Amino acid sequence: QVQLVESGGGSVQAGGSLTLSCQASGYIDSNYCKAWYRQAPGKQREGVASIDNDGGTNYADSVKGRFTISRDNAKNTLYLQMNSLEPEDTAMYYCAADGHYTSDYACLGPDPNQYNYWGQGTQVTVSS
């Protein structure tokens, strides 16, 4: 059984930084996608950043240049470094693993069902 546990969320002022971690227990296939999604109240879950089996990354336009996704396969850990945070970044952030490539969106598609495993989420709140 695979379990993903996020940590690192919190409350920061606009312009601040946070680094989220996702620690996995059980085997995670490095040949499949990993990603961070987020969901704000009243909104649907959206892809933030993803990393593929070759280490290639994709980002939502809204976070490009501010967020960085990385992985440590040996430690079974996924990271999301978030800089220059904005109030619009406020959301529950979820890590996802065992995702399949899609022809149009690779590892960061609009459908969360692309991923088989999800963490419980960690809250990020950015104040203005």
Side-chain angles (χ1 to χ4, degrees):
Q1 184 84 314
V2 172
Q3 184 174 1
L4 307 178
V5 179
E6 301 100 330
S7 62
S11 298
V12 298
Q13 293 184 341
S17 299
L18 285 173
T19 299
L20 307 182
S21 299
C22 175
Q23 181 71 52
S25 60
Y27 178 73
I28 299 295
D29 193 338
S30 62
N31 290 321
Y32 290 88
C33 301
K34 302 173 179 64
W36 289 93
Y37 282 69
R38 67 186 181 188
Q39 188 167 23
K43 298 182 179 180
Q44 65 180 16
R45 193 167 299 187
E46 63 175 352
V48 176
S50 68
I51 186 165
D52 64 26
N53 60 304
D54 293 320
T57 58
N58 286 309
Y59 297 92
D61 289 339
S62 60
V63 307
K64 285 182 179 178
R66 300 189 297 118
F67 290 11
T68 302
I69 187 172
S70 61
R71 67 184 182 188
D72 188 334
N73 287 336
K75 296 181 178 180
N76 243 5
T77 303
L78 185 71
Y79 303 96
L80 183 67
Q81 180 181 308
M82 304 183 294
N83 298 323
S84 302
L85 284 162
E86 304 168 353
E88 292 75 18
D89 296 317
T90 296
M92 185 73 73
Y93 283 72
Y94 301 88
C95 67
D98 194 27
H100 292 270
Y101 246 79
T102 64
S103 59
D104 295 324
Y105 302 104
C107 292
L108 198 64
D111 186 2
N113 292 321
Q114 177 179 7
Y115 286 87
N116 296 126
Y117 298 109
W118 293 87
Q120 86 290 345
T122 185
Q123 179 67 39
V124 172
T125 302
V126 185
S127 60
S128 59

